[in-house]
């Protein structure tokens, strides 16, 4: 049996530009700065997560997004704000811990009480991959609580739909006893992939992170 979980207001991640073009979430290529276009996938994901929460629950999380509209021009300014907190280093934003620290700093700066929760995945040479049920539960619980999930794949493993060394934002999932397929916002499009295949075959560390209020 397969169960499907999704953000409750999936249309709220759509972003419309001045010319009327709609994208499925943001694209790091929107950054005006070259460095951010190259390394800004982490802050782009952070911008989407915080904007979705502000847009769907403004009475509780409105401070997470300070721009006037959710159009592209204003959203890019929000991405630039998140870039200052989720600041990529020479190797990018290449760990869950760096993402968590940056998000905690952003939350503190605006006075929003939320806690980043992580599901870390370590390099396969060091740990066995025996937490499949915990991974399913992490994804299920986040989406059931209407929380987008930031996902880091340093190595895509055998899941060729994914990119190496890249953050995307999971917005829905199909979960069964045998598998776990996820759909994510990635560079302004919807990308469906086998998250369990990634989990079992990725060579490097990575994982998932979400916010809890």
């Amino acid at each position: 049996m397969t169960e499907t979980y999704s953000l409750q207001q999936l249309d709220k991640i759509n972003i419309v530009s001045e010319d009327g073009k709609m994208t499925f979430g943001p694209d790091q290529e929107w950054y005006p700065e070259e460095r951010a276009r190259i390394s800004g996938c982490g802050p782009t994901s952070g911008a989407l997560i915080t904007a979705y929460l502000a847009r769907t629950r403004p009475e509780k999380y409105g401070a997470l997004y300070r721009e006037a509209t959710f159009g592209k021009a204003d959203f890019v300014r929000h991405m630039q704000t998140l870039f200052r907190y989720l600041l990529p280093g020479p190797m990018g934003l290449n760990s869950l811990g760096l993402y968590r620290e940056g998000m905690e700093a952003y939350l503190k700066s605006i006075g929003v009480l939320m806690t980043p929760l992580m599901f870390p995945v370590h390099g396969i040479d060091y740990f066995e991959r025996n937490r499949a049920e915990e991974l399913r539960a992490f994804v299920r619980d986040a989406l059931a609580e209407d929380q987008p999930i930031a996902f880091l794949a340093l190595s895509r493993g055998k899941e060729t739909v994914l990119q190496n060394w890249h953050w995307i934002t999971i917005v829905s999932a199909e979960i069964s006893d045998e598998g776990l397929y996820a759909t994510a916002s990635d560079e302004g499009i919807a990308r469906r992939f086998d998250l369990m295949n990634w989990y079992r075959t990725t060579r490097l560390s990575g994982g998932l992170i979400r916010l809890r209020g």
Side-chain angles (χ1 to χ4, degrees), residues 6-77:
S6 175
L7 297 183
Q8 295 174 17
Q9 300 184 60
L10 201 53
D11 61 305
K12 293 296 193 299
I13 75 165
N14 294 330
I15 301 170
V16 180
S17 61
E18 291 77 5
D19 61 5
K21 181 180 179 181
M22 184 186 303
T23 59
F24 191 73
D27 185 346
Q28 72 190 74
E29 288 293 326
W30 293 352
Y31 279 112
E33 305 85 5
E34 182 179 8
R35 180 194 175 198
R37 290 195 297 270
I38 294 171
S39 62
C41 53
T44 300
S45 174
L48 175 55
I49 289 172
T50 51
Y52 177 80
L53 295 176
R55 193 174 187 183
T56 57
R57 281 154 279 186
E59 68 290 340
K60 188 173 184 180
Y61 299 129
L64 291 173
Y65 186 92
R66 298 295 184 88
E67 305 303 325
T69 76
F70 289 93
K72 179 180 175 182
D74 282 342
F75 201 96
V76 169
R77 282 188 283 273

Side-chain angles (χ1 to χ4, degrees), residues 3 24 34 39 53 55 72 83 115 119 166 173 182 184 186 201:
E3 296 182 330
F24 191 73
E34 182 179 8
S39 62
L53 295 176
R55 193 174 187 183
K72 179 180 175 182
F83 190 88
T115 302
F119 183 91
H166 192 45
D186 180 13
T201 63

